[in-house]
């Protein structure tokens, strides 16, 4: 039933699942879905790889720029270091001068502190003498003030006592008035209690009278209720007996009429089924004579399998060739990457050296160094021989230049063992005479041969040692700028020669990689064609097997159906005879039943009597309930009165006791007020005596205060003098401390500069002058000028930005990653190509299966629709797309007497029957041994249920399927061969019951 509703309410694209079940394409869908997931993942990975490769390419360009920038950065950093060394040297000299001046200022401040300390000591002595005379004067003034304060306090206390007495009198007057009011209130409470007690006594007597009369009335009403209940019970018993008899008679009549009607219908139905069985038996016997040839179909399967095996072998050979070609392609890729990386490194180094050599040329006239070519390994010897002279130009317009000198035959020959440097150097003619007088010797032979030098001659070693004719000798030291420039020129020439060979090797390996890639692509195409051929052969094998299986299944179906028809013919005949006997028996029993009119009239009279007795009982019960409520109310009020009476008694006694207490307190308050009235006359006499004493104490205190003020004035003058001396001494000490601090700060400044030199320049402070190129006795530049130059150099360094000194190493790493990821991208592109080919193959196979199943299901659907509706026509159509995999399935039906329309426009029963025809059409395409139908006939009326049962019989005849139907419809159950149900013979105990209808028919016929 759920599947029928699903087909009716589903959209066309959802109904396509019915076809997919018939075609068995669920596995293909799963494989295609898995392939599509892999394809999306591969495409996503390809996008990520493309992004990463693009990022790496941009990073390679950035690293190349950073490598060029690093060279410039190093040159500027060297100039910054020299400027920093000069500035540190100037700061170091200034700090030493500041230390000397600070020490001189400190000594002067110490002497000033000593002078001002002795002046402050004298002022302190005067201050002590003035301070010693003050305690006695202060004590006399304090005694006079204390006496005056005591008299003032006594006067204030007297005034406070007088005020308290007046307040106490007022308070006692208020308390006496309150006592009188409290006594009146308590007397009123006593009178209220007497009235309440009298009222409670009267109410209690009345309630006790009501309780005695209610007990007698309750006995009478209870007897009347019992009599009415007994009368109603007898009437209801008679009514139940009459009702049961009438219901039993009606149920028996309805059951017999239903049995008679169902028996007649079943006889007609069974006669039709018997005719249909005979007709189908004749038709199947005729069809079985012209069945398919199973031997020919088996031979076709063997031929298709042989062709598939040959195609599989070809596919394996093509796969092996493709794999070998891919391996050759991968093997050719790494040498090309290595060659490209080596060529890129050489090209980067060549560009860097070219820019460095061009950047160093800043003079208007190019130096002679740029016109010299020296053999590799002799750069240090040439630099030591010429020194800074090699940077001079040869241009005649230059103020300082090499003007040239002709070789003179009188020039001395170089000593034995020394080779002329001119053999290893190609230089302009202006340097020829200088080169002719320079010899090259081994480092160990230099001191010995140096003693043989003539005027103007010099010796050098390849390491850079120098010996001159005048005895001057210099050991090899760090390479100068000229030596480095010569080495860079030689290195640039070597790189260019090496770069030509590297580029040729790259071209050769790139050509080999292209040939390997073409071979791999050709092998891939061959493999794809071989696999396609193999799949075609496999489909041919499956088609041959399907044809053979269909033929076998059809033959088995016909045989099984003939057997089932013979069994059905016997079963239907037995059932028809049994239905005829059941109909006759039900008609006879119905004729013997009595009429129900007399029972119905008796039941109406008894019903009227029961209603009358029920009304009487309700009235008596209402009276009994009213009486019960009155008695309960009287009892509760008596209990409440008993609880209220002790409260009023206690309140009356409490009021009497409270009156006595209030009268005693009033007597005490009156006595205290009389005493306060007598004490008011003594306050005036005491106040006048205190005023006289206060005036005398004030005169004594003023005299003591005048003497104390004179002493304090003298002490204030001494204090000012002492403070002035102390301030002068403090100022001197502060000056001394500031001088000491300046001196210490100067020393710290000197130490900080020394530490900063060590930290920043990594040299000792004594060597900073040599690092800056400042010789002793030379004039020093201004610090501000040096700072300006340093700031300019730093800005130039900052303009270069963040320089990556590891740019070249990182460039090599990024190039390796770029090569690896490019290879992975090519592999991923190839995998995506194979996945797309696989998805296309799965889609093609699914379309073929779906189209074939659609034709079979449509033919079965047309036949079953006509069977269910007894005529009409119907068909299935693929809509909304030409591709069967994307199209929807729509159902068009025309029941008898109606026009052709969509399934959704039919009535509910017609929709259910049409959907049922589709379900069974799919089932006929792929039948199974057992089919379970759960409440399929629920939406059908009795007429359509008959059609449904006829369809089941037809399906049972056409297939070897056993149908298990779950139903509550009696018509469907009557058409089944065996019934299963659950009964509860005992309460709480369920039992499974089965009924074999065919066996029951046979037993009845045998009886």
């Amino acid at each position: 039933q759920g599947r029928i509703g699903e087909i009716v309410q589903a959209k066309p694209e959802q109904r396509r699942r019915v076809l997919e079940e018939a075609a068995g394409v669920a596995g293909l869908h799963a494989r295609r879905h898995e392939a599509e997931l892999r394809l999306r993942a591969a495409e996503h990975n390809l996008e990520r790889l493309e992004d990463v490769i693009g990022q790496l390419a941009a990073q390679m360009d950035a690293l190349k720029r950073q490598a060029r920038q690093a060279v410039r950065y190093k040159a500027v950093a060297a100039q910054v270091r020299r400027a920093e060394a000069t500035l540190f040297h100037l700061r170091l000299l200034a700090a030493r001068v500041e230390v000397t001046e600070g020490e001189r200022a400190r000594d002067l401040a110490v002497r000033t502190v000593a002078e001002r300390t002795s002046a402050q000591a004298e002022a302190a002595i005067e201050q002590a003498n003035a301070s010693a005379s003050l305690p006695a004067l202060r004590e006399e003034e304090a005694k006079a003030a204390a006496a005056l304060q005591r008299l003032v306090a006594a006067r204030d206390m007297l005034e406070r006592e007088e005020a308290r007495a007046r307040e106490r009198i007022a308070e006692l007057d208020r308390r006496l008035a309150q006592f009188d009011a409290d006594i009146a209130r308590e007397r009123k409470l006593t009178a209220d209690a007497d009235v309440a007690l009298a009222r409670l006594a009267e109410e209690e007597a009345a309630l006790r009278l009501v309780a005695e009369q209610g007990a007698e009335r309750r006995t009478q009403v209870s007897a009347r209720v019992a009599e009415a209940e007994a009368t109603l019970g007898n009437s209801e018993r008679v009514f139940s007996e009459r009702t049961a008899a009438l219901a039993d008679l009606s149920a028996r009549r309805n059951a017999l009429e239903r049995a008679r009607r169902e028996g007649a219908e079943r006889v007609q139905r069974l006669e039709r089924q018997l005719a249909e069985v005979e007709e189908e038996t004749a038709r199947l016997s005729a069809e079985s004579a012209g069945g398919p040839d199973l031997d020919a179909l088996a031979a076709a399967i063997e031929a298709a399998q042989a062709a598939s095996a040959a195609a599989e072998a070809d596919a394996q050979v093509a796969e092996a060739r493709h794999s070998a070609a891919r391996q050759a392609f991968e093997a050719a890729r790494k040498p090309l990457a290595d060659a490209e990386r080596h060529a890129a490194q050489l090209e980067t180094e060549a560009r860097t050296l070219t820019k460095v050599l061009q950047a160093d040329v800043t003079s208007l006239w190019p130096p002679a160094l740029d016109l010299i070519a020296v053999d590799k390994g002799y750069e240090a010897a040439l630099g030591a021989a010429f020194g800074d002279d090699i940077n001079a130009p040869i241009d005649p317009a230059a103020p300082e230049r090499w003007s040239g000198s002709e070789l003179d035959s009188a020039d001395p020959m170089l000593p034995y063992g020394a080779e002329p440097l001119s053999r290893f150097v190609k230089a302009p003619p202006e340097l020829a005479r200088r080169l002719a007088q320079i010899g090259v010797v081994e480092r160990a032979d230099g001191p010995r041969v140096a003693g043989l030098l003539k005027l103007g001659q010099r010796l050098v070693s390849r390491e850079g040692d120098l010996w001159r004719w005048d005895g001057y000798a210099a050991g090899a030291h760090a390479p100068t700028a000229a030596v480095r420039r010569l080495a860079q020129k030689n290195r640039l020439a070597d790189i260019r020669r090496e770069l030509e060979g590297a580029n040729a090797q790259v071209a050769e390996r790139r050509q080999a990689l292209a040939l390997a890639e073409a071979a791999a692509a050709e092998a891939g195409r061959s493999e794809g064609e071989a696999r396609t051929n193999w799949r075609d052969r496999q489909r041919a094998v499956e088609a041959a097997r399907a044809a053979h299986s269909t033929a076998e299944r059809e033959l088995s179906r016909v045989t099984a159906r003939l057997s089932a028809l013979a069994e059905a013919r016997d079963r239907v005949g037995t059932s028809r005879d049994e239905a005829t006997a059941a109909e006759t028996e039900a008609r006879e029993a119905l004729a013997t039943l009595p009429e129900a009119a007399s029972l119905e009239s008796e039941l109406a009279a008894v019903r009227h009597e029961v209603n009358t007795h029920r009304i009487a009982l309700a009235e008596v019960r209402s009276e009994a309930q009213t009486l019960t409520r009155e008695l309960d109310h009287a009892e509760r009020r008596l209990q409440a009165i008993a609880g209220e009476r002790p409260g009023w008694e206690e309140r009356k006694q409490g009021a009497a006791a409270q009156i006595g207490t209030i009268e005693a307190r009033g007597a005490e308050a009156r006595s205290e007020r009389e005493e306060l009235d007598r004490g008011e006359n003594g306050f005036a006499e005491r106040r006048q005596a205190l005023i006289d004493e206060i005036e005398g104490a004030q005169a004594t205190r003023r005299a003591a205060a005048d003497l104390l003020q004179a002493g304090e004035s003298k002490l204030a003058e001494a204090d000012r003098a002492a403070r002035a001396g102390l301030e002068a001494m403090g100022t001197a000490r502060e000056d001394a401390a500031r001088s000491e601090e300046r001196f210490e700060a100067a020393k710290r400044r000197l130490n900080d500069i020394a530490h900063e030199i060590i930290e920043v320049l990594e040299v000792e402070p004594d060597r900073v002058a040599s690092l800056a190129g400042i010789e002793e006795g030379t004039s020093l530049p201004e610090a501000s000028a040096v700072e300006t130059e340093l700031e300019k150099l730093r800005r130039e360094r900052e303009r270069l930005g963040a320089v990556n000194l590891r740019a070249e190493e990182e460039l090599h790493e990024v190039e390796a990653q770029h090569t690896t990821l490019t290879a992975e991208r090519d592999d991923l592109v190839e995998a995506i190509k194979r996945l797309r080919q696989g998805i296309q193959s799965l889609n093609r196979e699914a379309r073929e299966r779906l189209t074939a199943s659609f034709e079979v299901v449509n033919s079965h659907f047309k036949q079953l629709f006509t069977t269910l509706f007894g005529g009409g026509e119907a068909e299935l159509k693929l809509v909304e797309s030409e591709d069967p995999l994307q199209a929807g399935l729509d159902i068009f039906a025309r029941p008898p007497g109606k026009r052709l329309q969509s399934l959704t426009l039919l009535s509910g029963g017609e929709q259910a029957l049409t959907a049922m025809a589709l379900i069974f059409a799919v089932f006929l395409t792929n039948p199974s041994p057992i089919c379970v139908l759960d409440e399929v006939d629920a939406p059908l009326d009795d007429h359509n249920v008959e059609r449904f049962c006829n369809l089941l019989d037809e399906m049972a005849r056409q297939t070897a399927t056993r149908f298990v139907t779950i139903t509550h419809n009696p018509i469907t159950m009557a058409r089944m061969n065996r019934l299963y149900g659950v009964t509860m013979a005992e309460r709480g105990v369920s039992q499974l019951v089965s009924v074999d209808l065919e066996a029951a028919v046979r037993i009845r016929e045998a009886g």
Side-chain angles (χ1 to χ4, degrees):
Q1 181 181 359
R3 188 64 185 278
I4 290 173
E6 178 185 349
I7 292 175
V8 172
Q9 299 175 4
K11 296 180 179 179
E13 61 270 16
Q14 295 172 337
R15 292 196 190 118
R16 190 181 62 248
R17 290 183 298 179
V18 176
L19 284 181
E20 293 175 351
E21 292 176 3
V25 296
L28 294 179
H29 280 332
R31 289 164 56 191
R32 184 184 65 184
H33 180 64
E34 182 180 0
E36 289 175 347
L37 291 178
R38 291 181 179 176
L39 177 61
R40 286 196 291 271
E43 291 175 344
H44 179 65
N45 291 335
L46 179 61
E47 293 177 359
R48 292 174 55 193
L49 276 178
E50 292 287 355
D51 294 340
V52 173
I53 289 172
Q55 294 172 4
L56 287 178
Q59 190 175 0
M60 288 168 59
D61 295 338
L63 287 174
K64 291 175 182 178
R65 291 193 298 271
Q66 291 175 9
R68 294 192 296 269
Q69 192 177 17
V71 175
R72 178 61 181 164
Y73 180 84
K74 291 177 181 178
V76 175
Q79 296 178 2
V80 170
R81 182 175 174 82
R82 286 195 296 271
E84 287 177 343
T86 302
L87 184 58
F88 277 125
H89 179 66
L90 296 176
R91 290 177 180 175
L92 186 64
L93 295 178
R96 288 172 179 171
V97 172
E98 188 178 352
V99 168
T100 304
E101 293 177 353
E103 185 177 9
R104 211 167 30 248
R106 182 193 62 180
D107 295 341
L108 179 60
V110 169
R111 288 194 297 271
T112 304
V113 167
E115 294 173 357
R116 293 184 179 178
T117 299
S118 85
Q120 192 274 336
E122 294 176 358
I125 294 172
E126 292 294 333
Q127 182 186 19
N129 292 333
S131 179
S133 62
L134 279 179
L137 297 175
R138 287 175 179 168
E139 184 177 358
E140 292 297 331
E141 195 274 340
K143 289 178 180 179
L148 177 61
Q149 183 65 27
R150 283 195 298 273
L151 291 173
V152 172
R155 184 190 62 189
D156 295 340
M157 185 178 295
L158 180 62
E159 292 177 352
R160 287 195 296 272
E161 289 179 358
E162 185 179 4
R164 282 198 299 273
R166 286 195 295 269
E167 292 175 355
R168 182 59 178 168
I169 289 171
E171 182 181 356
L172 289 174
D173 291 340
R174 289 193 300 271
R175 291 184 65 185
L176 288 172
Q178 183 66 36
F179 288 157
D180 294 339
D182 291 344
I183 290 172
R185 187 182 64 252
E186 295 298 330
R187 286 174 180 171
K188 186 178 182 302
L189 289 176
T190 302
D192 292 342
D194 292 337
V195 173
L197 289 173
R199 179 177 53 77
L200 290 176
E202 293 176 358
E203 186 178 359
E204 182 178 7
L207 290 174
R208 292 189 182 281
L209 179 61
V210 171
E212 292 175 359
Q213 296 175 355
E216 297 177 359
R217 292 175 60 195
R218 178 182 294 177
T219 303
Q220 296 174 0
V221 171
S222 299
R224 290 168 58 194
V225 169
E227 182 181 359
E229 288 177 348
T231 304
L232 178 61
N234 294 331
S235 300
E236 288 180 344
R237 184 172 58 257
V238 173
F239 180 75
S240 298
E241 291 174 356
R242 299 291 189 275
T243 301
L246 180 60
D248 181 59
L249 179 61
S250 299
R252 290 173 59 192
R253 182 179 299 279
N254 292 335
L256 291 174
E257 288 179 351
R258 184 170 58 254
R260 181 182 59 78
R261 184 175 61 255
E262 292 176 353
E265 293 175 353
R266 188 181 180 195
V267 168
Q268 296 175 2
R269 184 174 63 252
L270 292 174
E271 288 178 351
R272 288 196 304 272
Q273 291 179 1
L274 188 61
E276 292 172 355
V277 169
E278 295 293 345
E279 181 183 355
E280 185 177 2
T281 301
R283 180 175 58 79
L284 290 176
S285 298
E287 289 179 358
S288 61
D293 188 358
L294 295 179
D295 295 335
L297 294 175
I301 292 175
E302 293 179 357
Q305 287 177 342
S308 176
E312 182 179 6
D314 295 340
Q316 291 176 353
V317 172
E319 182 179 1
R321 291 175 180 171
H322 187 203
S323 177
R326 290 289 300 174
Q327 291 177 359
F329 174 67
E330 295 297 334
R333 181 184 291 174
K334 188 176 184 303
L336 174 60
D338 294 340
E340 288 178 343
R341 183 168 56 255
H342 180 60
Q345 292 173 354
L346 292 175
E347 185 177 357
T348 301
E349 187 175 0
R351 286 198 301 268
T352 302
L353 289 175
T354 302
K355 290 188 176 182
V356 169
L357 293 174
Q358 292 175 354
D360 289 342
V361 180
T362 58
S363 177
L364 181 61
W365 299 281
L369 177 64
D370 293 344
L371 305 176
I372 295 176
V374 62
D375 291 350
K376 194 172 183 179
Y378 290 90
E379 298 89 347
L382 181 62
F386 278 85
D388 292 338
D389 296 343
I390 201 169
N391 291 322
I394 62 174
D395 194 324
E400 180 183 2
R401 65 188 182 279
W402 286 94
S403 60
S405 179
E406 297 293 336
L407 294 175
D408 192 350
S409 59
D411 291 341
M413 299 292 292
L414 291 171
Y416 177 75
E419 294 184 82
L421 183 59
S422 58
R423 295 182 182 178
F424 311 104
V425 178
K426 294 179 181 179
E430 288 80 359
L431 303 179
R433 191 171 185 185
R434 175 72 174 268
L435 288 171
Q437 295 300 313
I438 300 174
V440 180
V441 297
E442 295 295 333
R443 192 172 194 176
D445 298 336
R448 177 183 59 79
V449 181
L452 305 177
L453 292 175
K454 304 299 182 183
L455 182 64
Q457 293 181 341
R458 60 187 66 190
L459 297 176
V460 292
S461 66
R462 295 179 63 180
E463 291 80 6
D465 300 291
L466 172 66
W467 296 271
R468 263 189 350 210
W469 59 275
D470 55 359
Y472 176 79
H477 50 79
T480 62
V483 174
R484 286 196 299 271
R485 187 170 179 80
L486 289 171
Q488 290 170 352
K489 288 176 63 178
N490 289 340
R491 175 58 182 162
L492 180 60
D494 294 342
I495 288 173
R496 287 173 175 169
R497 288 192 297 271
E498 188 175 354
L499 184 60
E500 293 178 357
N503 289 333
Q505 187 178 19
V506 167
E508 180 182 354
R509 293 183 178 179
R510 185 176 288 119
Q511 183 178 4
L513 180 64
L515 293 175
E517 185 177 10
E522 180 63 27
R525 286 192 295 273
S526 299
E527 181 186 2
E529 294 174 356
R531 289 192 175 278
T532 301
N533 184 36
W534 181 25
R535 284 193 294 270
D536 294 340
R537 295 295 180 269
Q538 286 179 330
R539 283 195 292 272
V541 171
E542 292 176 359
R545 287 175 178 170
H548 186 269
S549 298
T550 301
E552 286 183 340
R553 191 163 55 249
E554 182 65 20
L555 184 60
S556 299
R557 184 186 66 80
V558 171
T559 304
R561 186 57 183 166
L562 289 173
S563 177
L565 288 174
E567 182 181 354
R569 183 172 56 251
D570 298 338
R571 183 178 69 251
V572 171
T574 303
S575 298
R576 181 192 57 189
D577 297 340
E578 181 181 351
T580 302
E583 179 189 6
T584 302
E585 182 179 353
R587 185 181 298 108
E588 294 174 355
L590 186 62
T592 60
L593 287 178
E595 296 296 329
S598 60
L599 287 176
E600 291 177 353
S601 60
E602 293 178 1
L603 183 63
V606 173
R607 183 183 295 110
H608 178 71
E609 183 179 355
V610 167
N611 292 333
T612 303
H613 292 163
R614 283 177 179 171
I615 293 172
L617 178 61
E619 293 175 352
V620 175
R621 283 179 176 173
S622 175
E623 183 180 356
Q625 291 173 357
T626 303
L627 180 60
T628 301
R629 283 195 299 272
E630 292 177 354
L631 294 177
D632 291 343
H633 175 70
E635 184 66 26
R636 287 195 300 273
R637 183 56 187 161
L638 287 172
Q639 294 175 359
I641 290 171
E644 290 178 5
R645 181 179 288 109
W648 285 108
E649 293 287 348
E650 183 179 356
R651 189 175 301 175
K652 179 179 179 182
Q653 295 174 2
Q658 186 68 17
I659 290 172
T661 302
I662 294 172
E663 289 176 348
R665 290 180 180 176
E668 293 176 356
R670 290 187 182 91
S671 175
E672 183 179 358
R673 193 186 186 292
E674 292 174 356
E675 291 179 359
L676 291 173
D677 288 339
R678 288 192 296 271
E680 286 184 357
N681 298 327
F683 285 115
E685 298 175 357
R686 292 169 59 188
R687 185 184 302 109
Q688 185 61 43
L690 286 174
I691 290 173
D692 297 338
E693 292 179 0
I694 288 172
E695 290 177 353
Q698 287 177 346
T700 304
R701 183 181 180 279
R702 280 195 296 272
D706 293 340
L707 294 175
L708 177 61
Q709 184 177 3
E712 288 179 346
S713 298
K714 185 178 179 179
L715 178 61
E717 292 177 359
D719 287 341
R720 283 193 295 271
R723 281 197 300 273
L726 187 61
E727 289 176 358
M729 183 182 67
T731 302
R733 286 181 177 177
E734 290 176 0
D735 293 340
R738 282 194 291 270
S739 300
E740 182 69 24
E741 181 62 27
R742 282 195 296 270
F743 175 62
E744 294 298 330
K747 290 197 295 183
R748 287 195 299 272
R749 171 74 172 164
L750 182 62
N751 292 332
D752 291 343
I753 292 174
H755 287 306
E756 193 173 0
I757 290 172
I758 295 173
E759 183 178 354
V760 175
L761 300 179
E762 298 180 353
V763 297
E764 294 297 327
D766 296 337
R767 296 182 55 194
V768 71
S770 61
L771 180 61
I774 299 174
E775 298 181 359
E776 187 176 358
T778 59
S779 60
L780 298 176
E782 292 292 336
S784 59
V786 176
E787 289 179 352
T788 302
E789 180 65 20
L790 178 59
E791 185 65 24
K792 182 176 69 174
L793 292 173
R794 284 176 176 171
R795 285 198 301 271
E796 184 178 357
R797 184 176 63 183
E798 290 174 358
R799 281 197 300 271
L800 294 176
V803 178
N804 184 8
L805 299 178
R806 295 187 67 255
E808 187 173 357
E809 299 176 5
E810 294 178 0
L811 179 61
H812 296 164
E813 297 173 359
V814 171
E815 287 175 344
Q817 294 178 4
H818 185 272
T819 303
T820 303
L821 291 178
T822 303
E824 293 180 0
R825 180 193 61 190
D826 296 340
D827 295 341
L828 195 56
V829 170
E830 185 66 24
I832 289 173
K833 187 187 301 181
R834 289 196 297 269
L835 282 173
R836 287 174 176 166
Q837 292 175 353
I839 291 172
Q840 293 174 359
S841 176
L842 290 174
N843 288 337
R844 184 169 55 254
E845 185 175 354
R847 289 189 190 96
E848 293 173 356
R849 291 189 184 183
L850 199 62
T851 303
S853 298
F854 173 75
E855 298 297 334
V856 177
V857 171
N858 194 18
S859 63
H860 289 312
F861 174 69
K862 293 178 179 178
Q863 178 185 356
L864 292 175
F865 181 86
T866 304
T867 302
L868 280 174
F869 283 89
E873 60 181 1
E875 64 175 335
L876 304 177
K877 290 184 179 180
L878 294 175
V879 296
E880 298 179 357
S881 178
E882 295 181 358
D883 186 1
L885 297 179
Q886 302 297 328
L889 179 66
D890 208 348
I891 303 172
F892 294 90
R894 186 184 65 78
K898 294 186 178 181
R899 60 184 179 84
L900 185 66
Q901 53 190 345
S902 177
L903 174 65
T904 56
L905 301 178
L906 300 177
S907 65
E910 291 171 342
Q911 288 180 351
L913 287 178
T914 306
M916 196 180 302
L918 178 59
I919 293 173
F920 283 113
V922 174
F923 183 77
L924 284 175
T925 305
N926 287 321
S928 62
I930 297 176
C931 177
V932 179
L933 304 175
D934 186 5
E935 297 287 355
V936 175
D937 54 357
L940 305 179
D941 55 14
D942 292 347
H943 184 64
N944 288 329
V945 170
E946 287 288 349
R947 292 180 175 179
F948 164 68
C949 294
N950 295 335
L951 176 62
L952 283 185
D953 293 338
E954 180 68 21
M955 296 286 293
R957 284 194 297 270
Q958 292 183 10
T959 63
T961 302
R962 292 288 185 179
F963 290 94
V964 179
T965 303
I966 301 171
T967 181
H968 294 87
N969 193 296
I971 299 176
T972 306
M973 290 190 287
R975 299 286 294 271
M976 298 296 105
N977 299 332
R978 183 182 291 273
L979 299 178
Y980 293 92
V982 178
T983 183
M984 188 180 290
E986 299 179 13
R987 185 175 181 84
V989 179
S990 299
Q991 182 179 2
L992 181 65
V993 178
S994 63
V995 179
D996 189 346
L997 298 181
E998 293 182 345
V1001 171
R1002 288 195 296 271
I1003 292 172
R1004 183 171 181 176
E1005 291 176 350

